[in-house]
Amino acid sequence: MSTILTTENLSLFYGKKEALKGVNMSFDKTGITALIGPSGCGKSTFLRCLNRMNDLIPGVTITGKVEFNQADIYAPTTDTVKLRKEIGMVFQQPNPFPFSIYENVVYGLRLAGVRDKERLDAAVEKSLKQAAIWDEVKDRLHVNALALSGGQQQRVCIARVLAVEPDIILLDEATSALDPISSHMIEMTLLNLRHDYTIITVTHNMQQASRISDRTAFFLNGELIEANDTKQIFMNPVRQETNDYISGRFG
Amino acid sequence: MNAKRVDKIATGVLYAIAALVVIILVALLGYILVQGVPEISWHFLTSPALSFEAGGGIGIQLFNSFYLLFLALLISLPISLGAGIYLNEYAGQNTITGLIRTTIEILSSLPSVVVGLFGYLFFVVQFKLGFSILSGAFALTVFNLPILTRSIEEALANISDNQREAGYALGLSRWETVTKIVVPAALPSIITGVVLSAGRIFGEAAALIYTAGQSAPALNFSDWNPFNISSPLSPLRPAETLAVHIWKINSEGIMPDAKAVSAGASAVLIIAVLLFNFLARWLGKRLYKHLTAE
């Protein structure tokens, strides 16, 4: 299995406070990696380093390397706009734009200059199908996306990311604001996508991590404690801290 | 006294205060409308004012008010929009932006007569624009800019950061995120702010007395070439507005029906301002509904 993304000694400081302490990790070209750990352990911060979303926060310093397809994404020549088209992101709160479902999904394509109506239509259908929401919305594509339920909105947001055909999809607790049924549908969506995309998901829900992920990484206090096959992490963790966390002894 | 009783008394007092405010407003509006509405007729709304005889109208003043409003918004809206976007989307929290915000606050609390005198010295005298629509529009811009900037800034600040993050995460640049997501999402409140400020401009007198002037020369409504001085569109002609006209009639009007003209003009002014307010609410609500699909 070839590697698509690696981090090398990645550290992040909020002012003087070290929030990430030299994380070394690599991600395969397909499959789901779950990042778990207690609140404030740095897993979300780590995720946001991978598409440079932390650049937007004032007072943040990042050291180390993130290599995406053998190129350092923190190199001064990196085009963050292009980078974020290749590494898409879904957030904790569903955040569709206040436009129609159709417009939400084609947003990235329109900005990339695609005008061809047939191509846009095809992309909408394909992305919404991939996100497992096509059947629910196909008759009302021109309804405002904010009229949908939270779970549907989140799947539209996933479709919006898929439409620009990224290589990697980052999910920052994408199901934690949703009800169990909606969460389940998102999980099914992710399982369908895992053969074609690199999916990296931050989650507080350990059952979810064990259900859907191929690999799991455990973070604690800004450090990567252990990363391995999900089965290995949950059945036979190497480190004591990991064992304590997954058995619910703290966190 | 127990807490329940105190709560009841406090509720009563608050209701009384609210009722008082409403009564004052209704009495004021009612008085003006009862006095003025009977004077309003098509003739009154369209014919020019007469200085010495009865039977004059407010046609030219009414047109001037709208034209001045249009020009003032044409100048102040782009500037306010730019300033609001800069302050909310680009500028960080530092001493300079703090200074800008303080300046805007001071500017917005400036008495309008001071703005008028500044406009007189600066636009009328220094820039030799004379008593003209243009001087008036610039003075109104100074008057309107701080308030409109604040309301646009607030409208943008109310858009959740989730929306901005969604834009960035899709690979939009900051400019694209602002112009294609944040501003469209904030449009309902921006439009409400603009229409409300239009109401304020429309009723403004003090800032215009020394800038747009107190005379309303006859206009030739068949001549729409802005370069002719008698054309309604000419920006360099003096232009007394409705609010200034009311002030003038009451301080030095010598026509026999001065009282009736003043009452009618006041009623027209109030109705126009009320219409602006209702329009703002209606438009804002409609757009909000359209955007949130509720």
Side-chain angles (χ1 to χ4, degrees), chain B residues 223-266:
Chain B
D223 178 3
W224 293 97
N225 180 351
F227 294 103
N228 293 343
I229 199 79
S230 66
S231 158
L233 291 187
S234 162
L236 288 173
R237 65 188 171 82
E240 184 191 41
T241 64
L242 201 55
V244 174
H245 189 57
I246 295 168
W247 169 78
K248 210 175 111 191
I249 300 172
N250 280 298
S251 53
E252 54 191 49
I254 46 172
M255 56 285 249
D257 61 345
K259 225 176 152 200
V261 174
S262 161
S266 304

mmCIF file of all heavy atoms in Angstrom, chain B residues 223-266:
data_model
loop_
_atom_site.group_PDB
_atom_site.id
_atom_site.type_symbol
_atom_site.label_atom_id
_atom_site.label_comp_id
_atom_site.label_asym_id
_atom_site.label_seq_id
_atom_site.Cartn_x
_atom_site.Cartn_y
_atom_site.Cartn_z
ATOM 1 N N ASP B 223 -36.179 68.274 -19.286
ATOM 2 C CA ASP B 223 -34.758 68.340 -19.642
ATOM 3 C C ASP B 223 -33.986 67.404 -18.707
ATOM 4 O O ASP B 223 -33.812 67.686 -17.526
ATOM 5 C CB ASP B 223 -34.270 69.790 -19.488
ATOM 6 C CG ASP B 223 -32.783 69.920 -19.793
ATOM 7 O OD1 ASP B 223 -32.164 68.897 -20.179
ATOM 8 O OD2 ASP B 223 -32.249 71.034 -19.640
ATOM 9 N N TRP B 224 -33.530 66.270 -19.217
ATOM 10 C CA TRP B 224 -32.853 65.305 -18.358
ATOM 11 C C TRP B 224 -31.355 65.265 -18.617
ATOM 12 O O TRP B 224 -30.685 64.283 -18.342
ATOM 13 C CB TRP B 224 -33.465 63.907 -18.515
ATOM 14 C CG TRP B 224 -34.867 63.883 -17.993
ATOM 15 C CD1 TRP B 224 -36.003 64.020 -18.720
ATOM 16 C CD2 TRP B 224 -35.286 63.776 -16.635
ATOM 17 N NE1 TRP B 224 -37.099 63.995 -17.907
ATOM 18 C CE2 TRP B 224 -36.695 63.845 -16.608
ATOM 19 C CE3 TRP B 224 -34.605 63.636 -15.411
ATOM 20 C CZ2 TRP B 224 -37.435 63.777 -15.435
ATOM 21 C CZ3 TRP B 224 -35.357 63.556 -14.251
ATOM 22 C CH2 TRP B 224 -36.740 63.632 -14.264
ATOM 23 N N ASN B 225 -30.821 66.360 -19.184
ATOM 24 C CA ASN B 225 -29.378 66.444 -19.372
ATOM 25 C C ASN B 225 -28.750 66.993 -18.100
ATOM 26 O O ASN B 225 -28.974 68.150 -17.744
ATOM 27 C CB ASN B 225 -29.082 67.373 -20.568
ATOM 28 C CG ASN B 225 -27.591 67.500 -20.799
ATOM 29 O OD1 ASN B 225 -26.782 67.055 -19.994
ATOM 30 N ND2 ASN B 225 -27.237 68.118 -21.917
ATOM 31 N N PRO B 226 -27.979 66.172 -17.368
ATOM 32 C CA PRO B 226 -27.477 66.618 -16.062
ATOM 33 C C PRO B 226 -26.567 67.842 -16.138
ATOM 34 O O PRO B 226 -26.279 68.451 -15.115
ATOM 35 C CB PRO B 226 -26.723 65.391 -15.540
ATOM 36 C CG PRO B 226 -26.548 64.484 -16.688
ATOM 37 C CD PRO B 226 -27.586 64.800 -17.707
ATOM 38 N N PHE B 227 -26.134 68.223 -17.359
ATOM 39 C CA PHE B 227 -25.223 69.368 -17.435
ATOM 40 C C PHE B 227 -25.954 70.693 -17.526
ATOM 41 O O PHE B 227 -25.344 71.752 -17.410
ATOM 42 C CB PHE B 227 -24.268 69.203 -18.624
ATOM 43 C CG PHE B 227 -23.347 68.031 -18.422
ATOM 44 C CD1 PHE B 227 -23.566 66.840 -19.096
ATOM 45 C CD2 PHE B 227 -22.293 68.102 -17.526
ATOM 46 C CE1 PHE B 227 -22.746 65.742 -18.888
ATOM 47 C CE2 PHE B 227 -21.467 67.012 -17.310
ATOM 48 C CZ PHE B 227 -21.690 65.827 -17.993
ATOM 49 N N ASN B 228 -27.282 70.651 -17.737
ATOM 50 C CA ASN B 228 -28.048 71.900 -17.756
ATOM 51 C C ASN B 228 -28.504 72.226 -16.344
ATOM 52 O O ASN B 228 -29.007 71.354 -15.634
ATOM 53 C CB ASN B 228 -29.258 71.767 -18.677
ATOM 54 C CG ASN B 228 -28.819 71.629 -20.120
ATOM 55 O OD1 ASN B 228 -27.674 71.933 -20.460
ATOM 56 N ND2 ASN B 228 -29.720 71.140 -20.952
ATOM 57 N N ILE B 229 -28.336 73.494 -15.962
ATOM 58 C CA ILE B 229 -28.558 73.863 -14.569
ATOM 59 C C ILE B 229 -30.035 73.743 -14.179
ATOM 60 O O ILE B 229 -30.353 73.538 -13.012
ATOM 61 C CB ILE B 229 -28.010 75.288 -14.300
ATOM 62 C CG1 ILE B 229 -27.804 75.495 -12.808
ATOM 63 C CG2 ILE B 229 -28.913 76.342 -14.893
ATOM 64 C CD1 ILE B 229 -26.540 74.861 -12.289
ATOM 65 N N SER B 230 -30.935 73.809 -15.134
ATOM 66 C CA SER B 230 -32.348 73.710 -14.773
ATOM 67 C C SER B 230 -32.854 72.269 -14.863
ATOM 68 O O SER B 230 -34.020 71.984 -14.605
ATOM 69 C CB SER B 230 -33.194 74.606 -15.670
ATOM 70 O OG SER B 230 -33.149 74.114 -16.992
ATOM 71 N N SER B 231 -31.974 71.349 -15.237
ATOM 72 C CA SER B 231 -32.376 69.948 -15.306
ATOM 73 C C SER B 231 -32.516 69.373 -13.904
ATOM 74 O O SER B 231 -31.716 69.685 -13.023
ATOM 75 C CB SER B 231 -31.334 69.165 -16.090
ATOM 76 O OG SER B 231 -31.414 67.795 -15.743
ATOM 77 N N PRO B 232 -33.519 68.534 -13.684
ATOM 78 C CA PRO B 232 -33.670 67.928 -12.358
ATOM 79 C C PRO B 232 -32.434 67.126 -11.960
ATOM 80 O O PRO B 232 -32.134 66.965 -10.776
ATOM 81 C CB PRO B 232 -34.871 66.996 -12.514
ATOM 82 C CG PRO B 232 -35.581 67.472 -13.728
ATOM 83 C CD PRO B 232 -34.576 68.128 -14.607
ATOM 84 N N LEU B 233 -31.692 66.598 -12.949
ATOM 85 C CA LEU B 233 -30.552 65.748 -12.632
ATOM 86 C C LEU B 233 -29.273 66.528 -12.375
ATOM 87 O O LEU B 233 -28.280 65.956 -11.943
ATOM 88 C CB LEU B 233 -30.305 64.755 -13.778
ATOM 89 C CG LEU B 233 -31.367 63.672 -13.962
ATOM 90 C CD1 LEU B 233 -30.916 62.681 -15.008
ATOM 91 C CD2 LEU B 233 -31.634 62.959 -12.655
ATOM 92 N N SER B 234 -29.280 67.832 -12.660
ATOM 93 C CA SER B 234 -28.062 68.615 -12.493
ATOM 94 C C SER B 234 -27.546 68.522 -11.057
ATOM 95 O O SER B 234 -28.262 68.854 -10.117
ATOM 96 C CB SER B 234 -28.338 70.076 -12.840
ATOM 97 O OG SER B 234 -27.322 70.867 -12.291
ATOM 98 N N PRO B 235 -26.316 68.047 -10.859
ATOM 99 C CA PRO B 235 -25.821 67.897 -9.484
ATOM 100 C C PRO B 235 -25.290 69.202 -8.905
ATOM 101 O O PRO B 235 -24.944 69.265 -7.742
ATOM 102 C CB PRO B 235 -24.698 66.872 -9.635
ATOM 103 C CG PRO B 235 -24.247 66.991 -11.045
ATOM 104 C CD PRO B 235 -25.373 67.545 -11.860
ATOM 105 N N LEU B 236 -25.214 70.263 -9.718
ATOM 106 C CA LEU B 236 -24.595 71.488 -9.224
ATOM 107 C C LEU B 236 -25.612 72.580 -8.899
ATOM 108 O O LEU B 236 -25.244 73.702 -8.576
ATOM 109 C CB LEU B 236 -23.575 72.008 -10.246
ATOM 110 C CG LEU B 236 -22.313 71.138 -10.296
ATOM 111 C CD1 LEU B 236 -21.392 71.565 -11.410
ATOM 112 C CD2 LEU B 236 -21.578 71.173 -8.956
ATOM 113 N N ARG B 237 -26.907 72.240 -8.987
ATOM 114 C CA ARG B 237 -27.918 73.240 -8.644
ATOM 115 C C ARG B 237 -28.194 73.196 -7.149
ATOM 116 O O ARG B 237 -28.032 72.149 -6.515
ATOM 117 C CB ARG B 237 -29.192 72.966 -9.431
ATOM 118 C CG ARG B 237 -29.841 71.660 -9.047
ATOM 119 C CD ARG B 237 -30.982 71.317 -9.960
ATOM 120 N NE ARG B 237 -31.454 69.968 -9.696
ATOM 121 C CZ ARG B 237 -32.296 69.643 -8.722
ATOM 122 N NH1 ARG B 237 -32.758 70.555 -7.907
ATOM 123 N NH2 ARG B 237 -32.684 68.391 -8.552
ATOM 124 N N PRO B 238 -28.591 74.337 -6.565
ATOM 125 C CA PRO B 238 -29.004 74.296 -5.167
ATOM 126 C C PRO B 238 -30.290 73.500 -5.057
ATOM 127 O O PRO B 238 -31.101 73.483 -5.987
ATOM 128 C CB PRO B 238 -29.236 75.758 -4.799
ATOM 129 C CG PRO B 238 -29.326 76.489 -6.081
ATOM 130 C CD PRO B 238 -28.680 75.672 -7.153
ATOM 131 N N ALA B 239 -30.468 72.812 -3.944
ATOM 132 C CA ALA B 239 -31.626 71.937 -3.840
ATOM 133 C C ALA B 239 -32.124 71.859 -2.418
ATOM 134 O O ALA B 239 -31.554 71.177 -1.578
ATOM 135 C CB ALA B 239 -31.263 70.537 -4.331
ATOM 136 N N GLU B 240 -33.184 72.589 -2.152
ATOM 137 C CA GLU B 240 -33.811 72.507 -0.842
ATOM 138 C C GLU B 240 -34.587 71.192 -0.753
ATOM 139 O O GLU B 240 -35.342 70.859 -1.657
ATOM 140 C CB GLU B 240 -34.774 73.684 -0.692
ATOM 141 C CG GLU B 240 -35.411 73.773 0.664
ATOM 142 C CD GLU B 240 -36.540 74.795 0.657
ATOM 143 O OE1 GLU B 240 -37.298 74.841 -0.326
ATOM 144 O OE2 GLU B 240 -36.653 75.528 1.630
ATOM 145 N N THR B 241 -34.375 70.458 0.318
ATOM 146 C CA THR B 241 -35.110 69.194 0.466
ATOM 147 C C THR B 241 -36.355 69.415 1.310
ATOM 148 O O THR B 241 -36.570 70.506 1.845
ATOM 149 C CB THR B 241 -34.256 68.123 1.159
ATOM 150 O OG1 THR B 241 -33.966 68.567 2.472
ATOM 151 C CG2 THR B 241 -32.969 67.851 0.400
ATOM 152 N N LEU B 242 -37.148 68.372 1.429
ATOM 153 C CA LEU B 242 -38.405 68.446 2.172
ATOM 154 C C LEU B 242 -38.165 68.863 3.627
ATOM 155 O O LEU B 242 -38.810 69.765 4.146
ATOM 156 C CB LEU B 242 -39.082 67.072 2.115
ATOM 157 C CG LEU B 242 -40.570 67.042 2.377
ATOM 158 C CD1 LEU B 242 -41.284 67.993 1.432
ATOM 159 C CD2 LEU B 242 -41.087 65.628 2.198
ATOM 160 N N ALA B 243 -37.188 68.209 4.263
ATOM 161 C CA ALA B 243 -36.930 68.502 5.677
ATOM 162 C C ALA B 243 -36.471 69.940 5.854
ATOM 163 O O ALA B 243 -36.905 70.641 6.773
ATOM 164 C CB ALA B 243 -35.895 67.530 6.230
ATOM 165 N N VAL B 244 -35.596 70.403 4.953
ATOM 166 C CA VAL B 244 -35.120 71.790 5.032
ATOM 167 C C VAL B 244 -36.274 72.752 4.792
ATOM 168 O O VAL B 244 -36.393 73.784 5.464
ATOM 169 C CB VAL B 244 -33.978 72.018 4.011
ATOM 170 C CG1 VAL B 244 -33.585 73.488 3.978
ATOM 171 C CG2 VAL B 244 -32.779 71.150 4.348
ATOM 172 N N HIS B 245 -37.146 72.375 3.862
ATOM 173 C CA HIS B 245 -38.309 73.213 3.540
ATOM 174 C C HIS B 245 -39.188 73.400 4.775
ATOM 175 O O HIS B 245 -39.624 74.517 5.080
ATOM 176 C CB HIS B 245 -39.095 72.546 2.406
ATOM 177 C CG HIS B 245 -40.189 73.394 1.837
ATOM 178 N ND1 HIS B 245 -39.961 74.650 1.307
ATOM 179 C CD2 HIS B 245 -41.530 73.170 1.704
ATOM 180 C CE1 HIS B 245 -41.108 75.158 0.879
ATOM 181 N NE2 HIS B 245 -42.072 74.288 1.104
ATOM 182 N N ILE B 246 -39.426 72.325 5.493
ATOM 183 C CA ILE B 246 -40.250 72.406 6.704
ATOM 184 C C ILE B 246 -39.613 73.358 7.711
ATOM 185 O O ILE B 246 -40.262 74.235 8.289
ATOM 186 C CB ILE B 246 -40.439 71.004 7.326
ATOM 187 C CG1 ILE B 246 -41.244 70.113 6.386
ATOM 188 C CG2 ILE B 246 -41.118 71.087 8.684
ATOM 189 C CD1 ILE B 246 -41.232 68.650 6.774
ATOM 190 N N TRP B 247 -38.306 73.183 7.884
ATOM 191 C CA TRP B 247 -37.599 74.046 8.818
ATOM 192 C C TRP B 247 -37.726 75.516 8.394
ATOM 193 O O TRP B 247 -37.978 76.390 9.200
ATOM 194 C CB TRP B 247 -36.124 73.630 8.864
ATOM 195 C CG TRP B 247 -35.262 74.621 9.597
ATOM 196 C CD1 TRP B 247 -35.156 74.757 10.930
ATOM 197 C CD2 TRP B 247 -34.437 75.619 9.014
ATOM 198 N NE1 TRP B 247 -34.298 75.781 11.235
ATOM 199 C CE2 TRP B 247 -33.842 76.316 10.069
ATOM 200 C CE3 TRP B 247 -34.134 75.971 7.695
ATOM 201 C CZ2 TRP B 247 -32.955 77.380 9.847
ATOM 202 C CZ3 TRP B 247 -33.258 77.010 7.480
ATOM 203 C CH2 TRP B 247 -32.676 77.714 8.538
ATOM 204 N N LYS B 248 -37.589 75.763 7.077
ATOM 205 C CA LYS B 248 -37.596 77.134 6.585
ATOM 206 C C LYS B 248 -38.973 77.786 6.720
ATOM 207 O O LYS B 248 -39.088 78.933 7.165
ATOM 208 C CB LYS B 248 -37.145 77.175 5.127
ATOM 209 C CG LYS B 248 -36.437 78.492 4.787
ATOM 210 C CD LYS B 248 -35.890 78.468 3.392
ATOM 211 C CE LYS B 248 -36.652 79.425 2.521
ATOM 212 N NZ LYS B 248 -36.329 79.240 1.108
ATOM 213 N N ILE B 249 -40.000 77.037 6.350
ATOM 214 C CA ILE B 249 -41.354 77.608 6.463
ATOM 215 C C ILE B 249 -41.643 77.988 7.902
ATOM 216 O O ILE B 249 -42.185 79.045 8.195
ATOM 217 C CB ILE B 249 -42.429 76.597 6.013
ATOM 218 C CG1 ILE B 249 -42.214 76.198 4.571
ATOM 219 C CG2 ILE B 249 -43.824 77.183 6.178
ATOM 220 C CD1 ILE B 249 -43.118 75.065 4.152
ATOM 221 N N ASN B 250 -41.226 77.130 8.824
ATOM 222 C CA ASN B 250 -41.534 77.388 10.222
ATOM 223 C C ASN B 250 -40.718 78.522 10.804
ATOM 224 O O ASN B 250 -41.125 79.163 11.758
ATOM 225 C CB ASN B 250 -41.338 76.116 11.046
ATOM 226 C CG ASN B 250 -42.529 75.196 10.916
ATOM 227 O OD1 ASN B 250 -43.638 75.560 11.284
ATOM 228 N ND2 ASN B 250 -42.310 74.036 10.341
ATOM 229 N N SER B 251 -39.524 78.792 10.234
ATOM 230 C CA SER B 251 -38.735 79.870 10.809
ATOM 231 C C SER B 251 -38.961 81.181 10.070
ATOM 232 O O SER B 251 -38.924 82.240 10.677
ATOM 233 C CB SER B 251 -37.255 79.497 10.844
ATOM 234 O OG SER B 251 -36.840 79.088 9.565
ATOM 235 N N GLU B 252 -39.208 81.143 8.758
ATOM 236 C CA GLU B 252 -39.357 82.428 8.062
ATOM 237 C C GLU B 252 -40.384 82.402 6.936
ATOM 238 O O GLU B 252 -40.341 83.248 6.052
ATOM 239 C CB GLU B 252 -37.995 82.875 7.521
ATOM 240 C CG GLU B 252 -37.312 81.827 6.650
ATOM 241 C CD GLU B 252 -35.858 82.169 6.345
ATOM 242 O OE1 GLU B 252 -35.102 82.503 7.279
ATOM 243 O OE2 GLU B 252 -35.500 82.110 5.162
ATOM 244 N N GLY B 253 -41.280 81.415 6.957
ATOM 245 C CA GLY B 253 -42.273 81.342 5.879
ATOM 246 C C GLY B 253 -43.248 82.506 5.940
ATOM 247 O O GLY B 253 -43.783 82.830 6.994
ATOM 248 N N ILE B 254 -43.489 83.167 4.806
ATOM 249 C CA ILE B 254 -44.413 84.309 4.816
ATOM 250 C C ILE B 254 -45.620 84.082 3.919
ATOM 251 O O ILE B 254 -46.423 84.963 3.707
ATOM 252 C CB ILE B 254 -43.696 85.616 4.392
ATOM 253 C CG1 ILE B 254 -42.850 85.363 3.161
ATOM 254 C CG2 ILE B 254 -42.864 86.173 5.528
ATOM 255 C CD1 ILE B 254 -42.265 86.624 2.561
ATOM 256 N N MET B 255 -45.742 82.859 3.360
ATOM 257 C CA MET B 255 -46.952 82.600 2.591
ATOM 258 C C MET B 255 -48.121 82.485 3.552
ATOM 259 O O MET B 255 -47.955 82.047 4.694
ATOM 260 C CB MET B 255 -46.821 81.332 1.721
ATOM 261 C CG MET B 255 -46.459 80.066 2.441
ATOM 262 S SD MET B 255 -44.731 80.041 2.888
ATOM 263 C CE MET B 255 -44.072 78.792 1.848
ATOM 264 N N PRO B 256 -49.345 82.867 3.111
ATOM 265 C CA PRO B 256 -50.487 82.863 4.028
ATOM 266 C C PRO B 256 -50.827 81.473 4.551
ATOM 267 O O PRO B 256 -51.348 81.346 5.663
ATOM 268 C CB PRO B 256 -51.634 83.419 3.170
ATOM 269 C CG PRO B 256 -51.106 83.627 1.799
ATOM 270 C CD PRO B 256 -49.651 83.416 1.779
ATOM 271 N N ASP B 257 -50.558 80.438 3.729
ATOM 272 C CA ASP B 257 -50.917 79.095 4.191
ATOM 273 C C ASP B 257 -49.706 78.330 4.719
ATOM 274 O O ASP B 257 -49.629 77.113 4.599
ATOM 275 C CB ASP B 257 -51.600 78.313 3.068
ATOM 276 C CG ASP B 257 -50.683 78.149 1.862
ATOM 277 O OD1 ASP B 257 -49.654 78.870 1.792
ATOM 278 O OD2 ASP B 257 -50.994 77.305 0.998
ATOM 279 N N ALA B 258 -48.752 79.067 5.304
ATOM 280 C CA ALA B 258 -47.507 78.441 5.772
ATOM 281 C C ALA B 258 -47.775 77.265 6.703
ATOM 282 O O ALA B 258 -47.142 76.215 6.594
ATOM 283 C CB ALA B 258 -46.640 79.477 6.480
ATOM 284 N N LYS B 259 -48.748 77.440 7.583
ATOM 285 C CA LYS B 259 -49.017 76.395 8.563
ATOM 286 C C LYS B 259 -49.492 75.104 7.901
ATOM 287 O O LYS B 259 -49.055 74.001 8.243
ATOM 288 C CB LYS B 259 -50.083 76.886 9.548
ATOM 289 C CG LYS B 259 -49.691 76.561 10.961
ATOM 290 C CD LYS B 259 -50.626 77.088 11.973
ATOM 291 C CE LYS B 259 -50.515 76.136 13.160
ATOM 292 N NZ LYS B 259 -51.606 76.178 14.048
ATOM 293 N N ALA B 260 -50.392 75.290 6.924
ATOM 294 C CA ALA B 260 -50.936 74.127 6.220
ATOM 295 C C ALA B 260 -49.847 73.433 5.416
ATOM 296 O O ALA B 260 -49.740 72.195 5.420
ATOM 297 C CB ALA B 260 -52.072 74.565 5.304
ATOM 298 N N VAL B 261 -49.008 74.217 4.715
ATOM 299 C CA VAL B 261 -47.931 73.624 3.915
ATOM 300 C C VAL B 261 -46.985 72.859 4.830
ATOM 301 O O VAL B 261 -46.580 71.723 4.542
ATOM 302 C CB VAL B 261 -47.166 74.712 3.139
ATOM 303 C CG1 VAL B 261 -45.952 74.094 2.438
ATOM 304 C CG2 VAL B 261 -48.055 75.387 2.126
ATOM 305 N N SER B 262 -46.640 73.481 5.966
ATOM 306 C CA SER B 262 -45.730 72.838 6.904
ATOM 307 C C SER B 262 -46.321 71.523 7.419
ATOM 308 O O SER B 262 -45.633 70.496 7.468
ATOM 309 C CB SER B 262 -45.447 73.792 8.062
ATOM 310 O OG SER B 262 -44.959 73.076 9.154
ATOM 311 N N ALA B 263 -47.613 71.546 7.766
ATOM 312 C CA ALA B 263 -48.254 70.332 8.272
ATOM 313 C C ALA B 263 -48.269 69.240 7.212
ATOM 314 O O ALA B 263 -47.939 68.078 7.485
ATOM 315 C CB ALA B 263 -49.676 70.646 8.736
ATOM 316 N N GLY B 264 -48.634 69.617 5.988
ATOM 317 C CA GLY B 264 -48.689 68.643 4.900
ATOM 318 C C GLY B 264 -47.323 68.063 4.613
ATOM 319 O O GLY B 264 -47.149 66.846 4.470
ATOM 320 N N ALA B 265 -46.312 68.952 4.554
ATOM 321 C CA ALA B 265 -44.953 68.488 4.247
ATOM 322 C C ALA B 265 -44.453 67.561 5.351
ATOM 323 O O ALA B 265 -43.808 66.534 5.073
ATOM 324 C CB ALA B 265 -44.016 69.684 4.084
ATOM 325 N N SER B 266 -44.744 67.910 6.616
ATOM 326 C CA SER B 266 -44.311 67.049 7.722
ATOM 327 C C SER B 266 -44.940 65.674 7.608
ATOM 328 O O SER B 266 -44.274 64.649 7.819
ATOM 329 C CB SER B 266 -44.688 67.663 9.066
ATOM 330 O OG SER B 266 -44.148 68.954 9.172
#
